[in-house]
Amino acid sequence: MKFGLLFAYQNPPDSGIPWQEPYADMLNCLPRAEALGYSSALQASHHIQKDGFCPSPMVAMAGAAAVTERSLNCRCWMDAIDGRAAADGRPQLPG
């Protein structure tokens, strides 16, 4: 069985948590997770969110790569929805 971690960095504006803290937590967590045998770190992203949901996953994963060895697979999960909504309120895929 393989175990992985998911990071999204959601931080509601009224939480009082500094914006950089969830990212620092990830950077501190990953070396230990790797040492414990976790196989992957997945980075979720979503743009233009007031709760800090990671708008720049490639930068966050570059930080993850800087603090891990090759045994931890770092991946990005990018939301394919561009924020527009159809008349019924459903999101639309780009295109």
Side-chain angles (χ1 to χ4, degrees):
M1 181 180 294
K2 294 182 180 182
F3 290 94
L5 299 167
L6 171 65
F7 296 95
Y9 317 107
Q10 288 179 285
N11 185 5
D14 59 353
S15 71
I17 298 170
W19 288 109
Q20 69 273 14
E21 190 169 316
Y23 295 91
D25 289 345
M26 179 214 40
L27 296 176
N28 291 326
C29 174
L30 287 177
R32 181 71 176 140
E34 188 174 39
L36 289 170
Y38 282 72
S39 64
S40 62
L42 182 64
Q43 165 65 61
S45 75
H46 199 297
H47 304 284
I48 314 169
Q49 295 296 311
K50 293 180 182 178
D51 65 358
F53 207 128
C54 187
S56 196
M58 300 309 265
V59 174
M61 284 292 95
V67 298
T68 59
E69 301 294 326
R70 297 183 60 86
S71 65
L72 191 65
N73 186 356
C74 297
R75 298 179 181 194
C76 292
W77 174 53
M78 302 193 67
D79 197 336
I81 299 189
D82 73 347
R84 292 178 294 166
D88 62 3
R90 293 177 299 143
Q92 295 179 332
L93 293 175

